[in-house]
Amino acid sequence: SDVCSSDLAMSTGLAGELARADDMLRGGQSGAAIEVLEHAAIRYPDVAEIRGRLGVALCLVGRLADACGAFETALELEPRFIEARVNLGMTRLHLGEAPIGLRLIRQALALKPDHADSWQISASAAHASGAPTVCWATENVSWPIGSSDAAI
């Protein structure tokens, strides 16, 4: 019974922190969202979604190398985390690491081929605009790096 109560408290607390970070990102407060997500990553070190969202927030403020680290950690925790794999690929493309970026995107497409069209369009748009495209959770949303009015 204690384990179930503890798990519920953890999931409720985590959900609250993620919702708070989402609200901050929607409000253009990427820096504040990064702080919330960094603290959440310390409190819940085994939750890949926190690292994935942290990577998105870091992308939004132009901290691309740090974003890659967050996405990589998310993938270490959950190798089938499709959005983290796509986001890492897009970020690597933006950093000029095309072979790595394309390999990661192809891996994601192989894992979830029903999203192939939207990810290929996103990859093309990112390449053409010079701005990486990031996926938010399970939604495919394009945000130019540094955008303060990200609509998720």
Side-chain angles (χ1 to χ4, degrees), residues 72-84:
E72 288 166 353
T73 300
L75 288 170
E76 288 170 12
L77 293 169
E78 178 52 57
R80 296 187 62 83
F81 189 174
I82 304 299
E83 292 78 16

Side-chain angles (χ1 to χ4, degrees), residues 9-118:
M10 187 174 103
S11 68
T12 302
L14 175 58
E17 290 184 57
L18 291 175
R20 195 165 133 224
D22 288 351
D23 290 342
M24 291 173 176
L25 287 171
R26 281 187 195 98
Q29 300 171 319
S30 299
I34 289 168
E35 283 186 38
V36 168
L37 292 165
E38 286 176 336
H39 288 286
I42 292 167
R43 291 182 60 196
Y44 308 101
D46 297 330
V47 179
E49 187 170 342
I50 295 169
R51 303 304 177 123
R53 290 186 189 204
L54 177 58
V56 169
L58 291 165
C59 275
L60 291 174
V61 298
R63 292 174 51 190
L64 302 183
D66 292 334
C68 286
F71 294 135
E72 288 166 353
T73 300
L75 288 170
E76 288 170 12
L77 293 169
E78 178 52 57
R80 296 187 62 83
F81 189 174
I82 304 299
E83 292 78 16
R85 191 169 301 279
V86 170
N87 289 340
L88 179 57
M90 295 291 190
T91 306
R92 292 286 185 199
L93 282 172
H94 187 69
L95 289 170
E97 300 170 7
I100 295 169
L102 292 172
R103 179 178 48 81
L104 288 160
I105 293 167
R106 285 186 189 116
Q107 288 171 350
L109 292 172
L111 289 168
K112 196 158 188 177
D114 56 317
H115 282 61
D117 291 341
S118 61

